[in-house]
Amino acid sequence: MAVGRRDKIQSIRGSRIAIAIVIGVLLGCVFAFLFPHGFFTPNSPIQNPRIVTSNVQTGTSCESPERVNMLKSDMASLSDTNAGLKKRVRELTEKLRLAEQGQDNAQKQVMVLGDQHKVGPFGTVKALRTNPTVVPDESVNPRLAKMLEKVAVGKELIVALANSNVKSMLEVWFTSIKRLGVTNYLVVALDDQIVEYCKTNDVPVYKRDPDEGIDSVARTGGNHAVSGLKFRILREFLQLGYSVLLSDIDIVYLQNPFDHFHRDSDVESMTDGHNNMTAYGFNDVSDEPTMGWARYAHTMRIWVYNSGFFYIRPTIPSIELLDRVADRLSKQPNSWDQAVFNEELFFPSHPGYEGLHAAKRTLDFYQFMNSKVLFKTVRKDARLKKLKPVIVHVNYHPDKLPRMKAVVEFYVNGKQNALDAFPDGSEW
């Protein structure tokens, strides 16, 4: 019995040892699969550095080809994801920049132009008035850029558009400029006849490259149609970095106009006003009796700027003005360019509309004189007749050529009765 019990115990012990061996082998396989490099990573401080160095030098790898390909695939996927995130970040950054740009324009402009300052004592604070000019971009029109380098003086010049319909007035126009010794002026010819006419009379002339949409209007259009083209054509001059005195042809020059600009605004324009109130603005009271106690309403009024004579600097607001007017005129062909010009300059921001943030100055109406001021007031006043204006614009009268010639006779040749034969207004 004792012998049989011992044999049984030994058999059990042998089975346990066999089981332990099997479990050990299985654990070894599991650990070998899960930890092919052992329990310690390559960064482990107890790893033999000579083995690591050897592996790097020999280029051996313990990774299986399948695992290497899987890791490469993961890296490519992460790289694509990273690129997408970077693009998204750039888009969000740009949106944030644009949002911030519209929040505090004045403050940001001051920060760009100079250091921020504390507010000074009462009565001494002056807001920013002059917008910076754009960086010239000669790539927009290399041919025009070369011409302007020769014609312009101090990066500014007089520019006028003309076709064959105004040839007689054009002669009076450029003759008055030449008489003053002004050389920085340019005629933008809208047809070949004007090109030849200007060349014959030694007048700087520029003919645009063909543009069927514009050229059809330029060749056959009347005063208003041609006038609307100037906003599109002027854009290139400003992009090239030049200040432009835009001039209609029905103007007589009596002094150098560049001696009389302030250059502190985006636009300096002559006015259609004929006295201090109409030219520079006034408080006009509207009366509505049915409102009883509140029957009187105060309004601010000013007569429009003349879109046929204005000095415009190469700034962002100036170019935006040209773009706005040109866009509206292209969509509303029956609109008057002068009305659109003034609406874009003066209408404030309001619901559904973002106003133009442009600085503007009204020129002295006795220096930059319209024909209403001349024929209705000045010629009848002995004191005012002694003043010599910078220019006279025959904008209020359709008999333009004879009145232009009369202006030359009166102010240049000293003929005191040269203006007397004309009525104040026009005779229908």
Side-chain angles (χ1 to χ4, degrees):
M1 291 293 292
V3 175
R5 189 179 293 113
R6 282 197 303 269
D7 292 340
K8 187 175 184 181
I9 292 172
Q10 289 177 354
S11 175
I12 293 172
R13 288 177 179 173
S15 299
R16 288 177 178 174
I17 294 172
I19 292 171
I21 292 172
V22 171
I23 291 173
V25 171
L26 290 175
L27 288 175
C29 292
V30 170
F31 285 124
F33 179 80
L34 294 178
F35 303 97
H37 300 293
F39 287 97
F40 301 103
T41 63
N43 295 326
S44 173
I46 64 173
Q47 185 175 356
N48 190 331
R50 286 175 296 179
I51 297 176
V52 175
T53 303
S54 175
N55 286 340
V56 172
Q57 291 174 346
T58 58
T60 59
S61 174
C62 296
E63 297 284 2
S64 64
E66 293 80 4
R67 185 169 177 79
V68 170
N69 291 335
M70 182 176 66
L71 289 173
K72 288 182 178 179
S73 177
D74 290 343
M75 288 180 65
S77 177
L78 289 172
S79 178
D80 292 341
T81 303
N82 188 40
L85 289 173
K86 286 182 178 179
K87 181 180 179 182
R88 181 61 177 164
V89 168
R90 285 195 300 269
E91 291 174 352
L92 292 174
T93 302
E94 180 65 14
K95 288 182 179 179
L96 179 62
R97 185 187 68 80
L98 293 174
E100 290 177 345
Q101 195 174 43
Q103 284 185 352
D104 196 353
N105 250 356
Q107 182 180 3
K108 287 185 177 297
Q109 193 173 44
V110 171
M111 290 175 65
V112 171
L113 296 178
D115 297 331
Q116 288 181 288
H117 301 283
K118 292 182 179 180
V119 175
F122 180 83
T124 65
V125 177
K126 296 290 184 181
L128 186 68
R129 281 165 170 73
T130 307
N131 284 310
T133 56
V134 299
V135 177
D137 182 8
E138 295 188 1
S139 66
V140 300
N141 192 329
R143 184 167 66 89
L144 179 60
K146 290 181 180 179
M147 177 171 290
L148 294 182
E149 287 179 2
K150 299 177 182 178
V151 174
V153 175
K155 299 288 287 187
E156 56 188 10
L157 73 161
I158 304 171
V159 175
L161 277 66
N163 61 16
S164 298
N165 296 334
V166 296
K167 184 183 291 186
S168 298
M169 286 191 293
L170 179 62
E171 182 179 4
V172 179
W173 179 84
F174 67 66
T175 300
S176 70
I177 294 176
K178 287 183 175 183
R179 186 184 299 115
L180 299 172
V182 175
T183 60
N184 52 328
Y185 68 101
L186 181 68
V187 174
V188 178
L190 301 178
D191 56 42
D192 293 334
Q193 291 83 355
I194 288 296
V195 173
E196 293 305 317
Y197 182 71
C198 288
K199 289 181 178 179
T200 300
N201 289 276
D202 196 26
V203 172
V205 63
Y206 166 70
K207 181 69 161 59
R208 298 175 52 262
D209 292 330
D211 185 323
E212 188 57 38
I214 293 179
D215 292 343
S216 59
V217 177
R219 287 190 298 268
T220 60
N223 286 343
H224 286 318
V226 172
S227 185
L229 297 177
K230 61 195 173 195
F231 299 99
R232 292 179 61 181
I233 295 174
L234 277 183
R235 192 185 204 276
E236 289 185 347
F237 287 80
L238 268 58
Q239 284 182 277
L240 293 171
Y242 290 85
S243 296
V244 173
L245 171 54
L246 188 282
S247 174
D248 279 354
I249 299 301
D250 55 345
I251 292 175
V252 176
Y253 286 79
L254 301 168
Q255 296 186 58
N256 187 336
F258 296 108
D259 294 337
H260 300 273
F261 294 128
H262 295 261
R263 298 173 179 83
D264 64 346
S265 304
D266 299 299
V267 177
E268 297 181 54
S269 177
M270 72 171 295
T271 174
D272 275 1
H274 57 93
N275 55 30
N276 285 342
M277 288 179 58
T278 57
Y280 309 136
F282 63 101
N283 183 358
D284 186 31
V285 181
S286 175
D287 183 10
E288 190 175 359
T290 58
M291 287 299 295
W293 175 81
R295 63 182 291 179
Y296 300 109
H298 290 255
T299 70
M300 298 304 300
R301 297 186 63 187
I302 185 172
W303 285 31
V304 295
Y305 283 178
N306 192 289
S307 63
F309 187 94
F310 59 86
Y311 178 84
I312 185 167
R313 296 174 59 247
T315 67
I316 292 297
S318 295
I319 295 174
E320 183 181 1
L321 170 64
L322 298 180
D323 287 352
R324 286 185 178 215
V325 176
D327 180 63
R328 283 187 56 184
L329 291 175
S330 67
K331 296 175 180 177
Q332 304 166 4
N334 294 326
S335 298
W336 184 24
D337 68 282
Q338 181 159 294
V340 175
F341 176 73
N342 279 271
E343 288 171 1
E344 292 299 336
L345 264 179
F346 285 96
F347 280 176
S349 298
H350 57 262
Y353 176 79
E354 183 68 26
L356 180 72
H357 299 278
K360 46 195 172 289
R361 171 180 282 274
T362 306
L363 295 170
D364 186 325
F365 69 89
Y366 282 128
Q367 290 187 326
F368 298 88
M369 191 182 297
N370 61 58
S371 56
K372 180 176 182 177
V373 173
L374 175 62
F375 287 98
K376 188 177 181 180
T377 305
V378 171
R379 68 172 176 166
K380 301 174 183 179
D381 188 301
R383 184 172 56 89
L384 292 176
K385 285 176 70 174
K386 296 178 181 179
L387 298 176
K388 189 173 186 178
V390 179
I391 60 108
V392 173
H393 188 180
V394 187
N395 60 315
Y396 269 101
H397 301 87
D399 50 338
K400 297 181 181 298
L401 183 58
R403 290 190 187 243
M404 290 176 70
K405 290 181 177 179
V407 169
V408 174
E409 288 294 322
F410 180 78
Y411 284 108
V412 178
N413 299 329
K415 188 177 180 180
Q416 293 301 302
N417 64 347
L419 305 174
D420 295 347
F422 298 93
D424 289 354
S426 59
E427 295 179 345
W428 295 98

